[in-house]
Amino acid sequence: MERDDCHPATPEYPHPFVHVVTLTTAQRIRGIILGSILFPLRIALASLCFLLSWPFARLRLAGLSEEERSRPVTGWRSWLLHPIVWFWSRSVFFCLGFLWVKVKGRRADLKEAPVLVVAPHSGFLDMLVLFPTQLPTVVSRSENTSLPVVGVQPQSDLLPTEQLYWRQPQGLMVFTQRQALGLPATDYVMEGRVPVSKLGGLSLPLESPARETLSLLHRNGLGASEVEAALGRMIDRCQSGPRGLKASAEELASILGLTDKQTASICSLYSKDDTVDLRQIYLGVAALSGFVSFKSLLHTAFTLFDREGSGSLSAEQLSGLMGALLGVPQLNTTELYSEASRDGRLTEDDLLRVLTTHPTYQRVVNQHLQPDEDLDGPLLSNGKVVNNNGLMLDSNGSLHHHKKLE
């Protein structure tokens, strides 16, 4: 479907995934004083209202089969119990500080719009927000019915986990005008918990993990020479064999020369467990730091993912390579693979050619895989990136020689 009036995030059109709060000193002091008093009181009252709504919500679903629970509740369960649960739901938000709610616009009737879809459903309070609209069906995991209190709150559509988390059809993105906020939609979508934009089938993160890594290294006292040395140790480890590709938090701390606590923040950017793929950290940080040229970086990446030494990458290996370069998993590299491969083979030269000459992928390289002169970190000297590149991409994507900037 056609995307309606999409804009990138700018000061005029703030990004929907990022909200910056600026408080004055007086507001901070007031927040500390009132928060220490009101916060526990509000939580206690909201919890009480939540508990009081529990028996009515349970009665609302009592005696229904799984099939009946998968459909919206009707009859006496709706007209008798709905207003009660509605009242307690509103009370929860009143206790949390939403004293008055201003309603803008008119709710469409069932003939005009029989379905309202709101996403993402990211917390158990979401269902209480929708309930006063008399749209009581919230899609949730069927496993949540076993949870105390929240398991019987107004969430009639209960689906198995494997059905709940739908994979979006490739190439289909629907954006709607955020008319109530007076803001247009943006080109960013959520993949997992990461906001990304789409370009040539690739997922481009709003916040680069490599950028955040460089910032963390800077804040922890690593200068340009220390970062370069750490990258050297990292690539040596990666090239030592398949076992060297993964590292624990302790091993990464040794490589970076940081404490385990300092390294934990970096690990969380790339992995949900206690190990990280060093290829992701090395390739992303090396690209933004400017210590190696893009051509050299791509050669290293190709070698790391072509573990058999066949001189060609499979579609799966290409997804891994681009995911490591860009810092987020790549779910659809079919377009790039088709553009770069010849006779079923994807060589390093062909991949370099497409990434540096194809208009779409030039943008990916120039915007996400080049040293960032605005980077606030240890790689800046007099406002310019300290750079050891031999070959770099200019603004048009062509290769040219670039001397080290002092």
Side-chain angles (χ1 to χ4, degrees):
M1 299 183 70
E2 183 179 357
R3 294 177 294 176
D4 180 34
D5 193 20
C6 292
H7 292 266
T10 64
E12 182 181 1
Y13 300 118
H15 200 281
F17 300 108
V18 177
H19 178 62
V20 179
V21 177
T22 303
L23 298 177
T24 65
T25 302
Q27 289 174 325
R28 292 178 184 274
I29 295 174
R30 183 173 59 188
I32 294 173
I33 296 175
L34 296 181
S36 61
I37 300 173
L38 290 180
F39 179 76
L41 180 61
R42 289 187 185 280
I43 293 299
L45 291 176
S47 300
L48 177 62
C49 293
F50 216 118
L51 287 172
L52 290 174
S53 71
W54 182 15
F56 298 101
R58 178 168 287 280
L59 180 61
R60 191 169 174 268
L61 300 177
L64 297 180
S65 64
E66 287 190 16
E67 181 181 356
E68 290 172 323
R69 290 189 179 197
S70 67
R71 298 192 296 267
V73 173
T74 58
W76 67 271
R77 299 174 186 271
S78 177
W79 63 261
L80 176 61
L81 298 176
H82 184 99
I84 300 175
V85 181
W86 179 0
F87 169 78
W88 288 118
S89 299
R90 180 66 188 91
S91 299
V92 169
F93 282 90
F94 185 88
C95 295
L96 292 178
F98 296 88
L99 305 181
W100 310 110
V101 178
K102 183 178 181 180
V103 178
K104 298 176 62 176
R106 178 187 64 86
R107 193 189 73 190
D109 59 33
L110 291 179
K111 292 183 180 180
E112 294 175 298
V115 176
L116 172 67
V117 179
V118 181
H121 170 42
S122 56
F124 289 111
L125 286 179
D126 295 358
M127 50 192 155
L128 300 182
V129 176
L130 285 180
F131 203 68
T133 67
Q134 297 185 3
L135 296 165
T137 300
V138 177
V139 178
S140 182
R141 301 184 303 168
S142 59
E143 293 89 338
N144 286 340
T145 56
S146 62
L147 296 176
V149 185
V150 297
V152 293
Q153 292 299 327
Q155 45 180 22
S156 302
D157 281 1
L158 300 170
L159 301 175
T161 302
E162 64 271 13
Q163 294 182 23
L164 177 61
Y165 295 106
W166 304 306
R167 172 165 290 187
Q168 189 177 17
Q170 299 293 350
L172 178 61
M173 291 187 293
V174 181
F175 294 82
T176 58
Q177 183 80 7
R178 292 183 293 166
Q179 295 178 348
L181 299 178
L183 297 171
T186 72
D187 285 322
Y188 287 95
V189 296
M190 293 294 289
E191 285 189 352
R193 296 183 178 182
V194 181
V196 300
S197 60
K198 294 290 188 176
L199 185 60
L202 299 178
S203 300
L204 309 177
L206 171 63
E207 297 292 342
S208 167
R211 171 188 285 274
E212 183 63 22
T213 298
L214 279 171
S215 179
L216 287 170
L217 293 176
H218 172 52
R219 293 201 296 267
N220 287 311
L222 272 68
S225 59
E226 289 85 1
V227 172
E228 188 172 20
L231 289 175
R233 292 191 293 271
M234 203 175 298
I235 192 59
D236 288 342
R237 168 76 179 263
C238 290
Q239 292 174 338
S240 64
R243 292 187 177 181
L245 299 178
K246 293 283 187 176
S248 64
E250 294 77 10
E251 291 171 325
L252 182 60
S254 176
I255 292 172
L256 297 177
L258 300 175
T259 65
D260 292 346
K261 184 178 181 180
Q262 291 170 330
T263 310
S265 299
I266 296 177
C267 289
S268 66
L269 297 173
Y270 299 90
S271 175
K272 294 182 179 179
D273 54 34
D274 56 356
T275 61
V276 291
D277 189 331
L278 292 178
R279 294 176 295 184
Q280 293 182 322
I281 301 178
Y282 172 80
L283 294 173
V285 173
L288 288 187
S289 65
F291 286 124
V292 294
S293 68
F294 177 72
K295 183 177 181 180
S296 176
L297 183 70
L298 185 63
H299 172 74
T300 300
F302 199 96
T303 303
L304 291 175
F305 283 89
D306 179 23
R307 302 302 299 180
E308 299 81 13
S310 64
S312 175
L313 295 182
S314 65
E316 182 180 359
Q317 290 170 326
L318 176 63
S319 295
L321 183 151
M322 295 306 299
L325 283 173
L326 295 171
V328 293
Q330 299 300 313
L331 305 179
N332 182 19
T333 55
T334 304
E335 183 178 333
L336 175 59
Y337 187 85
S338 176
E339 189 71 33
S341 61
R342 297 182 182 181
D343 300 324
R345 284 178 54 83
L346 176 60
T347 66
E348 179 183 338
D349 289 340
D350 287 333
L351 182 57
L352 177 64
R353 171 183 54 81
V354 171
L355 292 178
T356 56
T357 61
H358 191 285
T360 296
Y361 299 109
Q362 277 184 358
R363 290 178 57 192
V364 174
V365 172
N366 289 331
Q367 295 176 14
H368 294 269
L369 297 175
Q370 290 296 300
D372 191 345
E373 294 188 1
D374 295 327
L375 187 66
D376 182 18
L379 306 182
L380 289 182
S381 177
N382 297 325
K384 295 187 177 181
V385 179
V386 178
N387 198 311
N388 292 332
N389 287 347
L391 289 174
M392 288 293 294
L393 290 169
D394 62 19
S395 60
N396 296 321
S398 60
L399 292 171
H400 70 284
H401 288 277
H402 187 79
K403 296 181 180 180
K404 178 178 178 180
L405 297 175
E406 297 296 338

